[in-house]
Structures are given as structure tokens and as C-alpha cells.
């Protein structure tokens, strides 16, 4: 990696790393980020933002730093929420909350943003506004929608929006960014198969969903298509099956099947959902089962605006970071895509290392080495949009 002018000394870096590890120990899942939001506002109070907006779209926090002259508003976004996963690592700062953990690196994303706030405390933008958004409920796809629908968001009205996501499987501190599509759309589908319980000695007296489940799961593969993320690509991933009670004497009468549907285009999700329901409905009817369903967690496809992506690319180039070409689009989904409806937006992927566990794995931990790198990218964006004097130094990488 390339060394450039340093704006974070060792003491500052240590302070930020300690805060990241504190966040890691006290995770809160989507919709419950009360203490995390309070911790953010407390930790960054000494950066003296010109405005602090709380309870934004739920528990969201936005810190506003005004420039000296009129100009565009640049929103930098990170996420507050953790995942409902039991951490299995033995790191000293492992989660202290059973069944909840920062397994997607949002603790690191928040810390990169906190580092940006530290610099904005020293020097405001020369023009326009920098808005640091700590978004709630990213993991359920409810957060961005709630933030944009909140009347308080009208006071922000960004011209540009930028986000960074760490990505295991990319070399450490290498970046991937380009205009156009970068993530798929996805949606959760919950299927309920309703039959009739019976004593296990007389299964013929009941209507069990067991055979239907056994038929549905392999049949769903027939609805998938393609490998590359291009029009026509479709994926159906079964994520959870629940059936009956954990006993031996009762045949099951109800089953629930959860799955994730994935397509490149946001609008194509509905067609895939209709095909899944048709297939499941035919099998359910043949097994004499009633069918109910509901949809959840609709993530729109994330499309990078070409101008915003070029701004990110310039910031990476100014830092001397290595680029990974052809990485995106990826199959994953991200709640950030909705910000493209109100601004020129772009998301950049930054490598967490080749051998690190994948995000959403129970042993994932964000690499602290990325804190100054991610902050430097965000600061470079502010520099490139809000004028050369906005941020005149870059972070050591």
C-alpha cells in the first residue's frame, strides 16, 4: 500500500479502533439500535456538528457540517444495525449479546464515518454541506425507505450520496467501483403450508406438509437461471424450514418455508415470486394443503450513477489504492440502492482480505486496518465535490 500525508496519528487510530471494538461488543439488530445511536451522538459530540438529527427513519442519526459558502450537499452513509447471529469467535471484543453480532462489518463502517467526523471538526468544507448518516435497519431493507420517508430528511436533500461496504474475498484495501449496476435486487418470501395434525400412529388421519416440503425444495431449482448477473438471472435460496413440533408422537400439521428471491432488476422480483407461488401452489394442492404467503425485506437493485462512481474512482486514485476490475455486479443486495432515487449515488467495495470469513458468517470481524482507508476515501469524495480546500490531506494507507 502507498503512504501519503497522515492526518490520523497513532493515538487517534488507537482511539477509533477501541471504539469499533466497543461497538462490536454491544450489537443491536435492525429496529433496535437505540443504544448504538446514543453511542454515536455521544462519541461524536465533540466534533460539534452544525446540526444533529436523531430518530431519523427510526433510530437513524445524521450529523451536518456546513461549509463556508453555498454548494452541493454530500451525504455519506453507514449502517447502525447488527445481525441475529451467534458469534463463535474467541476474540477479546466478541459480542456480549447472545444471538446478536456485528457479522457484516457495520461496526467498522460506523468507525470509518466517525473518523471523517473527526476531520470535519478540524476543518469544515469550503462550500456546501457534508452530512454523515448513520442509517438504521439496513439488514431488513426497511431503513433507507424509512429515512427517505421521514419529513426530517427533507432538511438534508442530498445532491450526492456515497457508501462503502467491506468485502471479504477482495485483497485487503483494494477497491472495486464502477458506474452501473453493482448489486442485485432481492426479496424474502415466507410460505406457510397448512394441513392437519394427527397422532403419529395414524398419520393417515392427518394432512402432513412433509412430502410437500420434500418436493418443493428441489423443484425450486427449476426456476433458477444463469450464472452471470445479467437480464434473466434468477436465484431462489431456501434459508429456513420449520415443520411441526419437536416431539415424536404428533405428525406435523403446519410448515413454514423461508426463501430469498434474487434478480438483477428490481421489477423482475415480482415475476419470480409469481412463478414460485404457482409452483408451490400446485404441489400444495396435490398434497391437500392450504397455502398462505407473505413477502419481506425487499432490497432494490443498487445502480451507481456514473458521475458519482467517477468521484469515488478519483478518490481511490488519489490515495494510490489498487483497483479490482470486473468485480461488480454481485449477487448480494444492499439497502443503499434507494438513495439513487433522490441523489446521484454510488457505493464502493473495499477488500477485507482474501482469507477472511465471509460477511454474515458467525466468525467474521471487521479488519481495523480499513478504518483510515475508508475514511480517506470518504474525505477524498468531499474534497472532489466540495472543492480543493475542503479536505487538503489524505489518510495514510
Amino acid at each position: 500500500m502507498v503512504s501519503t500525508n497522515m492526518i490520523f496519528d497513532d493515538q487517534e487510530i488507537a482511539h477509533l479502533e477501541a471504539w469499533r471494538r466497543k461497538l462490536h461488543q454491544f450489537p443491536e439488530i435492525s429496529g433496535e439500535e437505540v443504544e448504538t445511536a446514543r453511542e454515536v451522538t455521544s462519541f461524536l459530540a465533540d466534533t460539534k456538528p452544525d446540526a444533529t438529527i436523531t430518530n431519523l427513519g427510526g433510530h437513524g442519526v445524521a450529523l451536518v457540517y456546513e461549509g463556508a459558502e453555498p454548494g452541493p450537499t454530500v451525504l455519506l452513509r453507514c449502517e447502525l444495525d447488527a445481525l441475529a447471529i451467534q458469534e463463535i469467535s474467541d476474540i477479546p471484543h466478541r459480542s456480549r449479546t447472545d444471538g446478536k453480532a456485528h457479522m457484516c462489518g457495520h461496526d467498522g463502517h460506523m468507525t470509518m464515518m466517525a473518523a471523517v467526523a473527526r476531520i470535519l471538526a478540524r476543518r469544515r468544507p469550503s462550500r456546501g454541506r457534508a452530512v454523515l448518516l448513520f442509517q438504521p435497519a439496513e439488514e431488513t431493507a426497511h431503513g433507507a425507505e424509512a429515512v427517505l420517508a421521514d419529513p426530517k430528511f427533507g432538511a438534508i436533500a442530498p445532491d450526492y450520496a456515497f457508501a462503502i461496504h467491506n468485502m471479504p474475498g477482495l485483497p485487503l484495501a483494494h477497491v472495486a467501483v464502477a458506474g452501473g449496476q453493482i448489486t442485485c435486487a432481492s426479496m424474502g418470501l415466507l410460505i406457510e403450508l397448512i394441513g392437519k395434525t394427527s397422532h403419529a400412529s395414524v398419520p393417515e388421519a392427518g394432512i402432513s406438509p412433509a412430502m410437500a416440503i420434500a418436493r418443493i425444495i428441489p423443484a425450486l431449482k427449476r426456476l433458477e437461471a444463469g450464472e452471470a448477473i445479467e437480464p434473466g438471472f434468477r436465484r431462489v435460496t431456501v434459508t429456513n424450514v420449520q415443520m411441526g413440533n419437536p416431539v415424536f408422537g404428533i405428525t406435523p400439521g403446519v410448515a413454514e418455508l423461508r426463501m430469498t428471491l434474487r434478480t438483477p432488476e428490481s421489477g423482475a422480483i415480482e415475476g419470480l415470486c409469481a412463478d414460485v407461488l404457482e409452483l408451490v401452489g400446485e404441489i400444495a394442492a396435490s398434497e391437500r394443503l392450504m397455502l398462505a404467503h407473505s413477502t419481506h425485506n425487499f432490497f432494490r437493485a443498487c445502480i451507481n450513477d456514473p458521475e458519482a462512481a467517477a468521484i469515488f474512482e478519483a478518490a481511490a486514485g488519489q490515495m494510490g489504492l489498487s483497483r479490482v476490475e470486473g468485480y461488480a455486479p454481485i449477487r448480494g443486495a444492499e439497502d443503499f440502492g434507494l438513495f439513487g432515487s433522490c441523489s446521484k449515488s454510488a457505493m464502493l467495495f473495499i477488500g477485507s482480505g482474501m482469507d477472511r470469513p465471509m460477511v454474515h458468517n458467525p466468525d467474521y470481524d471487521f479488519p481495523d486496518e480499513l478504518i483510515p482507508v475508508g475514511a480517506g476515501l470518504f474525505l477524498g469524495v468531499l474534497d472532489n465535490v466540495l472543492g480543493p480546500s475542503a479536505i487538503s490531506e489524505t489518510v495514510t494507507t
Side-chain angles (χ1 to χ4, degrees):
M1 291 185 286
V2 179
S3 292
T4 58
N5 294 335
M6 188 172 189
I7 56 176
F8 297 115
D9 59 29
D10 291 344
Q11 185 175 359
E12 270 187 312
I13 291 294
H15 186 51
L16 288 163
E17 289 178 356
W19 190 63
R20 200 280 298 178
R21 296 179 183 195
K22 178 181 180 181
L23 292 173
H24 191 93
Q25 292 179 76
F26 300 100
E28 293 178 304
I29 61 174
S30 301
E32 299 179 2
E33 312 96 330
V34 177
E35 293 303 323
T36 306
R38 185 175 293 126
E39 175 66 28
V40 165
T41 55
S42 173
F43 185 71
L44 297 178
D46 63 352
T47 67
K48 296 181 171 52
D50 296 290
T52 299
I53 303 172
T54 58
N55 300 316
L56 181 61
H59 303 302
V61 176
L63 307 178
V64 181
Y65 300 85
E66 298 282 355
E69 302 291 339
T73 295
V74 178
L75 182 145
L76 308 179
R77 173 272 206 173
C78 65
E79 316 94 318
L80 290 167
D81 55 338
L83 287 157
I85 296 176
Q86 180 67 41
E87 185 167 9
I88 63 171
S89 66
D90 58 359
I91 55 177
H93 55 279
R94 63 186 173 274
S95 173
R96 297 187 185 183
T97 306
D98 286 343
K100 301 176 184 179
H102 271 295
M103 296 292 102
C104 200
H106 294 180
D107 50 342
H109 298 173
M110 285 186 276
T111 309
M112 292 190 297
M113 198 70 75
V116 173
R118 296 278 175 219
I119 301 305
L120 291 173
R122 301 176 197 170
R123 62 174 86 87
R124 292 294 199 264
S126 61
R127 63 192 184 98
R129 296 186 300 173
V131 179
L132 310 188
L133 172 63
F134 295 77
Q135 181 202 306
E138 188 279 327
E139 295 290 356
T140 61
H142 296 313
E145 186 172 18
V147 166
L148 267 62
D150 193 319
K152 295 190 289 292
F153 187 74
I156 298 173
D159 299 290
Y160 297 90
F162 298 90
I164 293 174
H165 204 294
N166 75 101
M167 292 300 294
L170 284 179
L172 187 67
H174 286 50
V175 299
V177 62
Q181 181 165 17
I182 60 163
T183 71
C184 281
S186 78
M187 183 170 67
L189 176 61
L190 169 61
I191 299 289
E192 187 176 16
L193 301 170
I194 306 164
K196 178 184 177 183
T197 61
S198 70
H199 193 285
S201 66
V202 285
E204 66 274 13
I207 303 174
S208 171
M211 186 55 69
I213 290 290
R215 293 172 59 191
I216 289 168
I217 292 175
L220 290 172
K221 283 293 182 184
R222 300 201 302 264
L223 301 180
E224 297 189 339
E227 294 296 330
I229 311 303
E230 58 188 14
F233 172 84
R234 309 203 312 179
R235 276 293 177 276
V236 181
T237 306
V238 174
T239 60
N240 182 262
V241 179
Q242 297 182 22
M243 183 173 64
N245 298 315
V247 297
F248 296 104
I250 306 172
T251 63
V254 175
E256 288 185 347
L257 181 65
R258 287 173 169 81
M259 64 191 76
T260 299
L261 314 182
R262 206 171 297 274
T263 61
E265 309 90 354
S266 300
I269 284 282
E270 294 297 334
L272 178 55
C273 184
D275 289 347
V276 169
L277 291 175
E278 181 180 4
L279 182 152
V280 172
E282 291 174 356
I283 294 175
S286 71
E287 298 290 342
R288 300 183 297 141
L289 297 163
M290 300 288 289
L291 176 67
H293 78 278
S294 57
T295 58
H296 307 265
N297 299 7
F298 179 30
F299 291 87
R300 281 78 168 176
C302 189
I303 311 295
N304 276 356
D305 174 82
E307 180 186 346
I311 291 167
F312 246 149
E313 289 173 344
Q318 290 154 6
M319 292 182 67
L321 298 176
S322 297
R323 293 274 305 280
V324 178
E325 302 292 344
Y327 179 73
I330 63 171
R331 293 182 182 180
E334 233 290 346
D335 198 23
F336 181 71
L338 202 56
F339 286 95
S341 66
C342 67
S343 61
K344 296 179 179 180
S345 67
M347 171 171 279
L348 174 145
F349 298 126
I350 184 169
S352 305
M354 299 299 292
D355 300 323
R356 191 168 294 268
M358 183 53 67
V359 292
H360 292 214
N361 278 24
D363 55 347
Y364 182 73
D365 187 35
F366 180 89
D368 287 329
E369 302 94 316
L370 292 184
I371 295 170
V373 183
L377 285 162
F378 278 139
L379 292 168
V381 164
L382 295 180
D383 186 11
N384 293 335
V385 179
L386 301 182
S389 62
I391 303 295
S392 59
E393 300 170 285
T394 51
V395 179
T396 294
T397 63

